[in-house]
Amino acid sequence: GDSVTQMEGPVTLSEEAFLTINCTYTATGYPSLFWYVQYPGEGLQLLLKATKADDKGSNKGFEATYRKETTSFHLEKGSVQVSDSAVYFCALSVHGSSNTGKLIFGQGTTLQVKP
Amino acid sequence: DGGITQSPKYLFRKEGQNVTLSCEQNLNHDAMYWYRQDPGQGLRLIYYSQIVNDFQKGDIAEGYSVSREKKESFPLTVTSAQKNPTAFYLCASGGMPQTYGYTFGSGTRLTVV
């Protein structure tokens, strides 16, 4: 079936460090891929997305590239700030499967950035 | 501005009581979803609706009920049959989720006292 696997957290970094949060997926059809961010006590916000292979999504200094050959969509940022501390969710939506129209979420990865 | 509104933000319930969480969207989205989130955990799908007057159970529907009488509204009732209802509840909507993903509300934190 369709699924998303994220690296376990928490990930703890110092300010200005490089961030990678790994996300891999399995899909029965042609997925679109998403990264969401959740700040404490809030709902999820769409951070970036990619709808076909080799697309790169980017927003607020974050980037992720849709890699079909490795079934991955790793989130990266060159220099994190304390304000980036949040939970990050990777998700997919598969065209032409029993999950059509639904997003499948990973378990979330907590990022803590220390000054 | 278009968006999705959940109310109330905090809700307290006595054991044995039913309680209804509100979710309203003005995005003209066909589909709406309810998720439960426990501390340090991911999202678990409770119910979803892809069209008015129709809804389907998600992974953890027991002890919950929903209705979808209007496109804009998808209220969730937490019944007394839900054994452990204390959690953070998130509502979401989607127009073309495979292209645009979901839009989420800000959540309702339910506590049983």
Side-chain angles (χ1 to χ4, degrees), chain A residues 32 36 38 43 93 101-103, chain B residues 33 37 97-99 102 104-105:
Chain A
S32 298
Y36 282 83
Q38 183 182 31
S93 179
K102 288 197 292 183
L103 261 62
Chain B
Y33 310 83
Q37 188 177 31
Q98 58 269 36
T99 301
Y102 295 167
F104 280 83

Side-chain angles (χ1 to χ4, degrees), chain B residues 16-81:
Chain B
Q17 287 182 338
N18 293 354
V19 63
T20 297
L21 283 59
S22 171
C23 179
E24 303 275 336
Q25 54 101 357
N26 60 3
L27 298 164
N28 201 33
H29 286 169
D30 286 319
M32 297 186 73
Y33 310 83
W34 274 107
Y35 288 90
R36 171 179 172 143
Q37 188 177 31
D38 293 287
Q41 303 296 312
L43 305 175
R44 291 188 288 170
L45 182 63
I46 305 172
Y47 268 98
Y48 65 101
S49 167
Q50 294 183 313
I51 196 168
V52 175
N53 292 322
D54 189 40
F55 49 83
Q56 286 78 41
K57 293 181 179 180
D59 301 318
I60 56 164
E62 185 175 351
Y64 299 96
S65 66
V66 293
S67 63
R68 186 85 188 279
E69 297 176 0
K70 299 186 301 181
K71 189 174 187 178
E72 300 80 16
S73 178
F74 191 41
L76 173 73
T77 297
V78 184
T79 75
S80 56

